[in-house]
Amino acid sequence: MQKKIIVANWKLNGSIKLLHNLLKPITNFVREKKILIKLIIVPPFVYLYPAYKIVMNTKIMIGAQNVDLHLNGAFTGEISVSMLNDVNVKYVIIGHSERRLHHKENNIIVAKKFKIVKDFQLIPILCIGETENDYNSGMTKQICQHQIDTIFDSLGEQAFFNTIIAYEPIWAIGSGKIPSLNFIEDICNFIKNYILKRQATNKKLFYIQYGGSVNQTNIKDLCKIVEIDGFLIGSASLDFDNFFKILNILSFEK
């Protein structure tokens, strides 16, 4: 099985108890097995360093769910990329649909955050995807292309080197529904080819994930899609039994 990059996005969920009851068993499991994936845990900000302390000296990495546009100053409640760097965060989710919707982050803001993350040598996990109306109107490729173009326009032809692009249909997130496998394959193939066409080399120096209602029942079928390099997993990553089933299916030698 091809090695996958798994991102567990905890969103606005977490506690010290969860760190001990979920993250510690995951860490122990990874230590005991020969891991065949790259696992990135993305807890809320207040748990970043405690999470890092648990996973340090393992192959598990820690990511952040967001970052501010500013490096320091009078911006109450915000977290800078230098702070993330300081607590050993290596990945940052940028442009998640919930940030775009609830915090009014448009493509320009997303591109600026993407650039800040790249400037500090962290790895952005860029979320792109369409609404249900866009999907029903056949606009998925146009929407994804526009979101990608904004990054290229800001950072140039090397923008996506060492980057994760997570295709997440907005309508699939938390719905329990996913597009057909053929549709997902077509969109991921489009994303790959479009970036290759616009970047400075024809080498694939980026990774493509799928996200949106990924769970233990559909993960085997999703793994059949060649273009998918990994998965962005939300609620299923918070349930001990479900997440361990996913890890066993995806990641470890039997």
Side-chain angles (χ1 to χ4, degrees), residues 57-238:
N57 301 320
T58 74
K59 293 183 179 180
I60 300 174
M61 309 298 286
I62 297 297
Q65 297 177 18
N66 183 40
V67 69
D68 191 48
L69 289 171
H70 305 91
L71 297 181
N72 51 59
F75 303 100
T76 300
E78 298 297 340
I79 306 293
S80 73
V81 68
S82 57
M83 293 174 184
L84 297 180
N85 215 2
D86 197 36
V87 294
N88 296 289
V89 167
K90 301 301 181 185
Y91 296 82
V92 185
I93 296 176
I94 300 293
H96 194 282
S97 61
E98 292 159 0
R99 296 290 311 177
R100 295 177 189 261
L101 174 63
H102 301 304
H103 299 273
K104 311 303 179 187
E105 293 188 1
N106 58 29
N107 289 336
I108 300 300
I109 292 173
V110 170
K112 289 179 179 179
K113 290 188 174 186
F114 187 100
K115 184 178 186 304
I116 287 171
V117 171
K118 296 282 281 190
D119 286 347
F120 274 74
Q121 287 77 54
L122 302 186
I123 299 175
I125 303 168
L126 175 70
C127 296
I128 62 175
E130 79 284 8
T131 66
E132 190 165 15
N133 286 337
D134 295 330
Y135 171 75
N136 291 331
S137 300
M139 295 289 292
T140 299
K141 290 181 181 178
Q142 291 92 321
I143 295 297
C144 290
Q145 178 177 323
H146 182 59
Q147 292 168 335
I148 291 168
D149 281 342
T150 309
I151 303 295
F152 271 125
D153 293 344
S154 175
L155 278 79
E157 58 188 9
Q158 297 184 358
F160 288 97
F161 290 6
N162 198 27
T163 295
I164 298 171
I165 302 103
Y167 167 57
E168 280 200 304
I170 297 170
W171 55 272
I173 299 171
S175 70
K177 302 181 296 183
I178 66 171
S180 71
L181 298 183
N182 287 339
F183 182 85
I184 295 172
E185 182 175 29
D186 182 48
I187 297 303
C188 291
N189 191 55
F190 168 79
I191 292 168
K192 181 193 74 172
N193 290 330
Y194 186 73
I195 293 175
L196 288 175
K197 183 174 68 174
R198 282 210 58 179
Q199 71 178 18
T201 174
N202 60 4
K203 292 182 180 180
K204 185 173 176 285
L205 302 175
F206 52 89
Y207 305 92
I208 297 175
Q209 291 188 316
Y210 172 77
S213 292
V214 176
N215 57 46
Q216 74 276 15
T217 61
N218 59 31
I219 196 76
K220 285 186 178 180
D221 286 335
L222 287 167
C223 281
K224 296 175 184 176
I225 301 175
V226 176
E227 302 300 344
I228 292 179
D229 301 308
F231 301 95
L232 179 56
I233 303 175
S235 58
S237 70
L238 292 162

Side-chain angles (χ1 to χ4, degrees), residues 12-62:
L12 189 58
N13 301 285
S15 63
I16 297 299
K17 182 178 179 180
L18 187 66
L19 292 178
H20 287 275
N21 292 348
L22 180 61
L23 188 54
K24 277 194 173 182
I26 291 172
T27 304
N28 292 335
F29 191 52
V30 168
R31 283 196 179 106
E32 293 169 2
K33 302 288 184 178
K34 184 176 180 180
I35 189 168
L36 296 178
I37 64 163
K38 178 176 285 186
L39 179 58
I40 304 163
I41 304 295
V42 190
F45 285 129
V46 294
Y47 302 117
L48 287 174
Y49 192 65
Y52 168 73
K53 294 290 285 184
I54 291 173
V55 306
M56 64 187 300
N57 301 320
T58 74
K59 293 183 179 180
I60 300 174
M61 309 298 286
I62 297 297

